[in-house]
Amino acid sequence: MQSALANNTFTLDTAKAIGTPLLLAIALLASIYLLPMAADAVLGLALLYVAATGGELKKQCHVLLDDALGKLTLLLVIYLCLSVLWSSQWELQDLAQTWMRALLCLCVLITLANTSPQSAAAHTFMSRAIAVSVVLSALVCIALWLQNPPDDGRLNGLFRLNNPGKAGRSYAAALPFLLFAFLVHSGRWLATLGILLATAAVILTDTRAAWLGAFAGAATVLLSTWHGNRKRFLRLGILTIAVCAAVLAGFALHPDPEVRALLLPRGDSFRLQIWSDHWHYILEEVAIFGGGYLASLEIDLGNTTTTGAHNMYLSVALQIGLPGLALFLTIIGGTALRLYRNLELPVARMALGLLACSLVVYVFNGDRLLDKVNFIWLATWLPIAIALSLHKPPAQSA
């Protein structure tokens, strides 16, 4: 058993050591790329049943209750659920669906947070499960794209990733997992194939937010691995952000429309107007408590209308107000800080890469934090869970 773990090989003995709840939680995350949303119900209910009947969930709740970051996360989830009650025109179905998603999210969060940061077996299985799912789904999607190219030329994903934006964001989030698998020698041939296919898929979706998120996530993992020293990583990271911001600004502000089209082929897709209208509405109408978790704002774009802020930060503020947004940003900041302080651990570097990917993508996309199992679970809830697993009680850290 010990030699299997040392060589990062996955065996039946390793599966038993990991445990059923963790296997189900990882399978749930891997299903994003390969299975329809019906898999959420099957795997999710199985996880809830195993956790409830085995008594593990009750025993493991200390990861939330004994940690300031955990308490804030629990507060955010409960606040989001309660806010359904002051949403306009909510129904009992909406309340039940939100609470069920919150319960499953907390169950996955607690299960993953109770995984030791030094557990090579669990993290090997996680990275391999994601890699296999990404490789299979990307192969199918690219083959379909080659066989029957869509009118807009953009690659779609399978099932729940049924548009270029969803597919692009999810494949972007796969890169930190795949780089983690490659860098810790966890089946390099599979990781290499996954990196190539996921990168190709992100490019073929022609989704600029996914491109930027993929770069942010991959660069964070690579730079933090290359410069294990935290201060050097921070300096190099700030320099990289400054250079990228200057290059993007140069494209976006260039007087030649053909040059601007290289960055924004579809213009800003009315993002600036959508963001401006949402921001003014939030400040004037729902700044304190928000409009509730089901809140949405219809924006008149002239010859069409749209709903949704296309920005996670504005969406959170619209739903639970500016204090709710501050709570969310505090949790993200606390997660990033804890991962940064544990940069010597490969799993912390992977999680920081996922978080970097989400922070960039959320500028351009984002609707609800308690959503079906999708990009948000990979890029937000998983990094929080890993950060919670890194918590050291005062007696231990002394």
Side-chain angles (χ1 to χ4, degrees):
M1 174 64 180
Q2 293 300 323
S3 61
L5 293 181
N7 295 321
N8 283 335
T9 57
F10 190 79
T11 66
L12 289 177
D13 287 339
T14 310
K16 292 178 183 177
I18 290 174
T20 302
L22 184 56
L23 290 174
L24 286 171
I26 292 172
L28 191 64
L29 296 178
S31 71
I32 291 172
Y33 297 94
L34 204 55
L35 299 177
M37 280 186 289
D40 296 357
V42 176
L43 294 170
L45 289 175
L47 175 59
L48 289 172
Y49 174 78
V50 169
T53 57
E56 292 298 317
L57 194 60
K58 185 177 180 180
K59 286 190 247 180
Q60 295 178 342
C61 283
H62 67 87
V63 296
L64 293 180
L65 303 178
D66 297 343
D67 183 352
L69 181 61
K71 291 176 182 176
L72 291 177
T73 302
L74 182 61
L75 176 62
L76 175 64
V77 172
I78 293 174
Y79 191 27
L80 286 167
C81 290
L82 290 176
S83 73
V84 175
L85 298 174
W86 62 82
S87 303
S88 61
Q89 299 179 339
W90 66 273
E91 298 178 358
L92 191 59
Q93 179 183 351
D94 300 317
L95 189 64
Q97 183 184 65
T98 303
W99 277 93
M100 280 301 296
R101 286 178 174 173
L103 182 61
L104 180 58
C105 180
L106 287 174
C107 186
V108 171
L109 197 69
I110 291 170
T111 301
L112 294 170
N114 275 280
T115 305
S116 168
Q118 286 78 25
S119 177
H123 299 140
T124 294
F125 177 69
M126 180 187 297
S127 61
R128 286 187 177 180
I130 296 291
V132 169
S133 185
V134 167
V135 166
L136 292 176
S137 64
L139 280 172
V140 172
C141 292
I142 293 173
L144 292 173
W145 181 82
L146 291 171
Q147 182 180 7
N148 188 21
D151 293 337
D152 60 2
R154 302 174 71 191
L155 180 137
N156 288 296
L158 299 176
F159 302 115
R160 70 189 78 191
L161 308 181
N162 58 354
N163 70 46
K166 293 177 182 178
R169 293 190 291 274
S170 297
Y171 282 116
L175 287 173
F177 286 103
L178 298 166
L179 287 168
F180 166 79
F182 180 85
L183 293 169
V184 298
H185 312 290
S186 174
R188 280 192 165 180
W189 68 268
L190 179 62
T192 302
L193 182 59
I195 291 168
L196 294 174
L197 288 171
T199 302
V202 170
I203 293 172
L204 291 175
T205 61
D206 198 25
T207 302
R208 295 306 190 265
W211 290 10
L212 295 174
F215 176 80
T220 299
V221 174
L222 292 172
L223 290 177
S224 60
T225 302
W226 179 31
H227 282 289
N229 180 282
R230 290 199 293 268
K231 291 183 179 179
R232 280 190 308 220
F233 163 70
L234 185 60
R235 287 196 294 266
L236 195 56
I238 292 172
L239 177 61
T240 302
I241 292 172
V243 171
C244 290
V247 172
L248 293 174
F251 275 101
L253 302 175
H254 199 280
D256 188 343
E258 292 186 1
V259 175
R260 291 200 302 272
L262 294 174
L263 177 65
L264 302 169
R266 293 170 292 280
D268 68 353
S269 299
F270 300 103
R271 288 291 199 282
L272 295 179
Q273 182 181 340
I274 293 170
W275 294 342
S276 176
D277 288 357
H278 272 80
W279 179 243
H280 284 101
Y281 177 80
I282 291 166
L283 290 180
E284 294 169 6
E285 304 291 340
V286 295
I288 304 301
F289 296 107
Y293 187 65
L294 305 178
S296 63
L297 185 63
E298 187 174 280
I299 305 297
D300 183 7
L301 300 175
N303 54 2
T304 186
T305 59
T306 187
T307 57
H310 296 280
N311 179 294
M312 182 61 82
Y313 311 108
L314 288 174
S315 294
V316 171
L318 175 67
Q319 293 157 15
I320 54 176
L322 295 179
L325 175 61
L327 174 61
F328 173 59
L329 293 177
T330 300
I331 292 169
I332 294 300
T335 299
L337 182 59
R338 186 171 295 177
L339 295 173
Y340 172 74
R341 286 175 172 172
N342 290 273
L343 213 58
E344 70 279 1
L345 296 174
V347 71
R349 299 197 290 268
M350 179 193 75
L352 195 60
L354 288 168
L355 198 63
C357 177
S358 73
L359 291 176
V360 172
V361 168
Y362 286 162
V363 173
F364 306 97
N365 295 98
D367 187 21
R368 305 190 194 284
L369 286 171
L370 295 176
D371 206 348
K372 54 186 175 290
V373 182
N374 58 14
F375 170 82
I376 295 168
W377 288 59
L378 292 173
T380 297
W381 297 119
L382 177 58
I384 291 173
I386 292 173
L388 290 173
S389 76
L390 297 169
H391 173 62
K392 299 179 180 66
Q396 183 177 342
S397 58

